Amino acid sequence: MHGKEPAAPWMTTGGSDATGAPDSSIGPVTKSAATDAGFLARDAVDCLPLGALERKLASGRPLRVKLGLDPTAPDVHLGHTVVLRKLREFQDRGHVVVLIIGDYTARVGDPSGRSSTRPVLSGEQIDANARTYVQQAAKVLDRDRIELRHNSEWLDMRMEQLFALTRTTTVAQLLERDDFAKRYAAGEPISILELLYPLMQAYDSVAVRADVELGGTDQKFNLLLGRDVQRAYGVDEQVVLTMPILAGLDGERKMSKSLGNQIGVSEPPDELYGKTLSLPDAAMGGWYSLLLGEATPEDLSARDAKHALARRLVERFHSPRAADAAAAHFDRVFVRRELPEEIEEARFEAANGTVHIPALVAEIAGGSRSDARRMLAQGAVKLDGEVLGEDDLELAPERLDGAVLQVGKRRTRRLRAAG
């Protein structure tokens, strides 16, 4: 590599051991390397290079196991927990989980698996999202054994350092990545900023001296590139461990906030329970395997197995008591068609003596007024049990005050006039 090598971040931050990695109070690994490697890689898609994880474990020191999360949305969803569960297994065997909040890489947007450039988020949006990530990740990880880092610590680098980083990789290498190759062949735009993303993620591995990096199968290129960049900086190369991708609620595409097919780990118990029951039967085996580490129960019908899955997920992210209440709520509202025991209130204001129903529905459902009009046309909106239609656009406030508005299957509000 030509030019002055950028200073490595571990040389300037915090305490360190003889390897230059930040101090850790976790003791040495005591189980056999072969047994541990076999267990940790048992449900992974890739564990590369062959035998590298066992050799790392044989060193007898705690490994530094890295996961980067870009806060491009406020919620950690169930798809993220597939990798988080694997991280917890490393934690439980005495290794150090290095959780990197990609507050800098999020400003680029990871193009993995995407066919077009991701919209740019504002710094305020990214910072607000990042604040929720650790709390949500701690629903799976042991919070006391997370080394939390933000890649703005080292990616806010001098131009000289950026030049040195870009010298480690060629454009031809980057265009080998499947999503870039397809977009390039189709004549679709690829920004220079997007080409920098894999390099920035790779430099994270240099900065924290990662022994192992985890990600979904769509991250394989980025994770392998991390090894190349580590080697260029004279850092021991990481093991690449990829996990399967969890299908979203549509049962087909990757779970993603941008596709609207996700369940957030912080969603209310009733929402988590009800959304899980909407999963297609064909996708249930993958959810059991990736979220619970089990096969779908053979002694249960598809309906009962799905209810059991929903209960287990609510228990994990909330509590057994919350799971009981969510199951009872579903039975009362969707089986017996009764109203919930507790109904959240929603305030409305009347303009010119009437209330514009599409605006009220949009506020409650979280969509647009056009979406609300479609729901009205589809008979998905009820007022005190009576279906509202596409012509019910303006209603008198007297009819709404104290009434129960039901939007879709899971949103119910008691309406109250403002003031």
Side-chain angles (χ1 to χ4, degrees):
M1 192 171 62
H2 303 288
K4 182 181 177 181
E5 183 177 63
W10 64 81
M11 296 180 180
T12 59
T13 59
S16 63
D17 58 22
T19 70
D23 293 331
S24 171
S25 60
I26 300 175
V29 178
T30 57
K31 290 187 176 181
S32 102
T35 300
D36 263 7
F39 177 81
L40 292 168
R42 73 194 185 286
D43 49 2
V45 176
D46 301 292
C47 186
L48 301 170
L50 186 65
L53 180 57
E54 182 175 343
R55 290 192 292 274
K56 290 270 189 181
L57 292 167
S59 70
R61 63 175 176 82
L63 301 185
R64 297 176 57 73
V65 188
K66 168 200 169 191
L67 174 68
L69 292 173
D70 284 352
T72 52
D75 298 322
V76 172
H77 57 63
L78 294 183
H80 294 127
T81 69
V82 175
V83 176
L84 292 175
R85 283 183 64 243
K86 181 59 63 178
L87 282 174
R88 181 59 188 256
E89 291 178 357
F90 275 93
Q91 278 188 323
D92 290 344
R93 279 155 184 76
H95 302 291
V96 181
V97 164
V98 185
L99 186 62
I100 297 178
I101 300 297
D103 56 336
Y104 228 69
T105 44
R107 286 159 169 80
V108 177
D110 182 8
S112 297
R114 300 181 66 86
S115 59
S116 60
T117 303
R118 171 173 285 172
V120 177
L121 298 180
S122 70
E124 292 75 15
Q125 286 175 300
I126 291 169
D127 292 340
N129 293 343
R131 286 192 288 270
T132 71
Y133 263 44
V134 177
Q135 179 181 0
Q136 294 177 69
K139 290 178 176 288
V140 179
L141 300 176
D142 181 343
R143 178 65 182 87
D144 294 333
R145 290 191 288 164
I146 296 174
E147 180 183 311
L148 180 65
R149 307 294 293 271
H150 293 72
N151 60 16
S152 57
E153 296 173 35
W154 49 82
L155 289 180
D156 188 10
M157 58 176 59
R158 300 190 308 274
M159 189 66 74
E160 180 184 21
Q161 294 173 305
L162 179 61
F163 289 162
L165 175 58
T166 58
R167 290 191 186 99
T168 66
T169 308
T170 68
V171 172
Q173 281 179 275
L174 295 175
L175 291 179
E176 289 174 2
R177 204 170 87 165
D178 186 57
D179 46 6
F180 283 155
K182 288 178 179 177
R183 286 165 61 183
Y184 185 74
E188 296 176 354
I190 303 172
S191 72
I192 297 298
L193 197 58
E194 287 182 284
L195 291 176
L196 282 176
Y197 186 96
L199 287 173
M200 295 165 72
Q201 180 175 335
Y203 193 76
D204 290 349
S205 293
V206 174
V208 301
R209 299 191 83 126
D211 291 302
V212 182
E213 182 172 10
L214 271 66
T217 52
D218 58 343
Q219 289 288 313
K220 184 176 178 179
F221 179 95
N222 290 2
L223 273 55
L224 288 171
L225 185 66
R227 290 174 49 83
D228 296 338
V229 175
Q230 282 180 311
R231 183 168 59 252
Y233 281 91
V235 175
D236 288 343
E237 298 163 46
Q238 65 190 16
V239 175
V240 168
L241 197 150
T242 67
M243 297 298 293
I245 300 293
L246 182 72
L249 286 170
D250 53 13
E252 299 177 358
R253 298 173 297 176
K254 165 186 174 179
M255 182 173 285
S256 167
K257 177 78 173 179
S258 62
L259 295 174
N261 64 354
Q262 86 292 345
I263 301 180
V265 299
S266 294
E267 292 198 30
D270 294 347
E271 289 286 308
L272 175 51
Y273 195 98
K275 285 185 177 181
T276 300
L277 294 181
S278 71
L279 182 72
D281 291 352
M284 193 162 44
W287 278 43
Y288 261 95
S289 174
L290 297 179
L291 297 177
L292 302 182
E294 303 173 5
T296 306
E298 296 182 357
D299 58 337
L300 296 180
S301 66
R303 175 189 176 278
D304 290 345
K306 204 174 295 183
H307 275 273
L309 173 63
R311 178 180 286 274
R312 293 277 296 279
L313 293 177
V314 176
E315 287 178 351
R316 170 182 292 177
F317 298 114
H318 293 281
S319 69
R321 183 176 179 180
D324 290 340
H329 172 87
F330 185 89
D331 183 65
R332 180 172 56 254
V333 175
F334 300 108
V335 179
R336 301 199 304 269
R337 304 293 182 183
E338 299 174 6
L339 290 176
E341 288 184 342
E342 296 183 6
I343 301 177
E344 183 180 344
E345 290 191 351
R347 298 281 174 175
F348 68 87
E349 294 184 355
N352 301 319
T354 63
V355 177
H356 189 56
I357 298 304
L360 181 60
V361 170
E363 182 179 347
I364 291 173
S368 67
R369 295 188 184 189
S370 296
D371 293 333
R373 288 190 179 92
R374 281 193 291 270
M375 296 184 75
L376 286 164
Q378 294 165 0
V381 181
K382 295 180 181 180
L383 185 66
D384 278 344
E386 178 184 342
V387 176
L388 298 181
E390 57 186 333
D391 296 328
D392 294 311
L393 300 181
E394 305 287 340
L395 295 180
E398 294 80 11
R399 184 179 174 189
L400 299 177
D401 194 17
V404 174
L405 185 70
Q406 293 172 273
V407 181
K409 293 183 177 181
R410 287 187 291 274
R411 293 181 179 86
T412 304
R413 298 290 186 273
R414 176 81 65 182
L415 300 178
R416 299 292 183 191

